[in-house]
């Protein structure tokens, strides 16, 4: 299982808000495709999927504010 | 910031519909994703349009009847920020930049976009600046420059708009940036200077070159068929 954390967005950015997930739990996603869109300040930022696999669990839901580095999802990588 | 200048293609349009320009930005971004292509900068003016950022609430369109009657398009823009307006007399710049080349820092990127506008305005004797907690560019308590970006794979889309000589009364239709009683201003209102848009584009480009250390290749104006995105 691969854990997805909220990535570093810049030196002074500590958190961001989940705007929406591009895929739902149980759906397949390929590596580098947009996984989740987050917003911070005047920017939207798409977090790419780190691997190809099934999005097993969404930890941070839409509208939630998340600290950089915190766990937001788990993906079961394809064999 | 790297020492070496970053290659950037510049596309200028006297006027281009919002959606069409967004399509071009996405194509330019795709080119970077697929081939590691160069950065692009679009310098344009739009026919009147209202755009909604991710944080926008519909009630920030204050006069929906007038918006409907006048047939003003309202577009979900997918960028950061709230509601804004583009209209003739406003200079809009869309940097489609690979932020891997510009330091992978969203806040710094936005800071530089604001800096570009502040430098531009200072040439006309306007002392513009930032306000804590309120992104964009301000002259005292009035907003003159707007910023909103969307980043995917560390490549930016959307960008900034700067009121040069637009009809400011049009902003009464919206609550710009979702801020109550926000007043907007323009270069023309502040200085009484009527700045031709061609000159404004040229000058803003020079400010982009300086702030982002670009080496620019200009593409012919208004010749869509020559744009090989």
């Amino acid at each position: 299982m691969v854990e997805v954390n909220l990535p570093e967005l810049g030196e002074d950015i500590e958190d961001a808000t989940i705007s929406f997930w591009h895929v739902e739990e149980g759906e397949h996603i390929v590596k580098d495709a947009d996984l989740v869109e987050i917003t911070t300040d005047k920017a939207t930022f798409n977090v790419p999927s780190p691997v190809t696999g099934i999005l097993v669990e969404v930890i941070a839901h839409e509208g939630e504010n998340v600290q950089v580095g915190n766990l937001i999802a788990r993906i079961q990588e394809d064999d | 910031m790297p020492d070496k200048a970053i290659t950037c293609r510049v596309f200028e349009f006297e006027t281009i519909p919002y959606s069409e320009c967004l399509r071009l930005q996405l194509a330019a971004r795709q080119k970077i994703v697929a081939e590691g292509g160069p950065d692009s900068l679009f310098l344009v003016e739009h026919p009147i349009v209202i755009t909604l950022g991710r944080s926008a609430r519909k009630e920030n369109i204050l006069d929906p009847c007038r918006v409907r009657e006048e047939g003003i398009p309202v577009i979900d823009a997918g960028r950061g920020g709230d509601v804004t307006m583009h209209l003739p007399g406003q200079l809009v710049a869309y940097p489609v930049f690979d932020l891997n080349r510009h330091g992978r820092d969203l806040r710094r990127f936005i800071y530089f976009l604001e800096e570009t506008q502040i430098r531009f305005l200072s040439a006309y004797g306007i002392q513009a600046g930032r306000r804590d907690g309120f992104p964009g560019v301000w002259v005292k308590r009035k907003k003159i420059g707007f910023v909103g970006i969307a980043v995917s794979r560390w490549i930016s889309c959307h960008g900034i708009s700067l009121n040069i000589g637009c009809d400011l009364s049009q902003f009464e239709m919206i609550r710009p940036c979702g801020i109550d009683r926000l007043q907007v201003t323009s270069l023309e209102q502040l200085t009484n200077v009527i700045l031709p848009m061609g000159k404004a584009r040229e000058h803003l480009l020079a400010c982009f070159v300086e702030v982002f250390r670009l080496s620019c290749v200009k593409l012919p104006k208004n010749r869509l068929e020559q744009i090989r995105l």
Side-chain angles (χ1 to χ4, degrees), chain B residues 49-215:
Chain B
V49 61
I50 292 170
T51 70
L52 306 172
R54 276 282 178 261
S55 331
R57 285 167 302 148
K58 284 270 192 229
E59 60 263 33
N60 288 337
I61 296 175
L62 299 173
D63 196 346
C65 294
R66 185 172 157 202
V67 170
R68 255 195 313 274
E69 274 164 22
E70 294 186 17
I72 298 169
V74 178
I75 297 173
D76 268 316
R79 53 164 171 76
D82 206 294
V83 60
T84 198
M85 176 178 272
H86 301 300
L87 69 174
Q90 184 193 61
L91 176 54
V92 185
Y94 298 121
V96 180
F97 288 180
D98 184 349
L99 299 186
N100 292 299
R101 302 171 185 141
H102 294 269
R104 282 173 75 106
D105 188 320
L106 293 184
R107 193 159 288 172
R108 193 164 67 164
F109 182 55
I110 287 174
Y111 185 92
F112 280 138
L113 289 177
E114 291 164 345
E115 182 63 27
T116 306
Q117 298 176 82
I118 291 168
R119 283 198 196 188
F120 175 94
L121 291 166
S122 73
Y124 307 94
I126 298 172
Q127 283 193 325
R130 300 175 181 83
R131 276 179 70 190
D132 264 356
F134 298 97
V137 175
W138 302 76
V139 181
K140 296 192 177 125
R141 312 251 336 150
K142 291 186 177 180
K143 195 162 188 180
I144 190 167
F146 302 77
V147 58
I149 59 166
V151 177
S152 187
R153 299 185 182 213
W154 283 106
I155 303 161
S156 64
C157 262
H158 298 280
I160 58 172
S161 46
L162 193 52
N163 292 342
I164 304 295
C166 46
D167 174 4
L168 296 172
S169 69
Q170 303 280 13
F171 282 89
E172 290 164 11
M173 275 184 273
I174 61 168
R175 187 180 287 126
C177 311
I179 302 171
D180 265 333
R181 290 183 293 279
L182 173 75
Q183 287 189 297
V184 292
T185 189
S186 68
L187 183 137
E188 195 176 304
Q189 190 187 52
L190 293 168
T191 62
N192 288 322
V193 169
I194 296 173
L195 181 64
M197 206 44 104
K199 277 200 171 159
R201 279 198 301 267
E202 205 173 300
H203 180 201
L204 188 65
L205 174 59
C207 296
F208 262 99
V209 165
E210 224 175 79
V211 172
F212 288 95
R213 299 186 193 176
L214 305 175
S215 159

Side-chain angles (χ1 to χ4, degrees), chain A residues 7-46:
Chain A
E8 294 276 345
L9 302 167
E11 245 177 57
D12 300 320
I13 302 178
E14 289 164 4
D15 57 0
T17 304
I18 305 284
S19 35
F20 66 92
W21 290 86
H22 289 279
V23 289
E24 289 181 18
E25 281 183 359
E27 286 183 343
H28 193 258
I29 185 161
V30 294
K31 186 177 188 294
D32 289 335
D34 290 341
L35 174 65
V36 58
E37 185 191 278
I38 58 178
T39 54
T40 176
D41 292 342
K42 287 279 186 169
T44 63
F45 183 89
N46 276 293

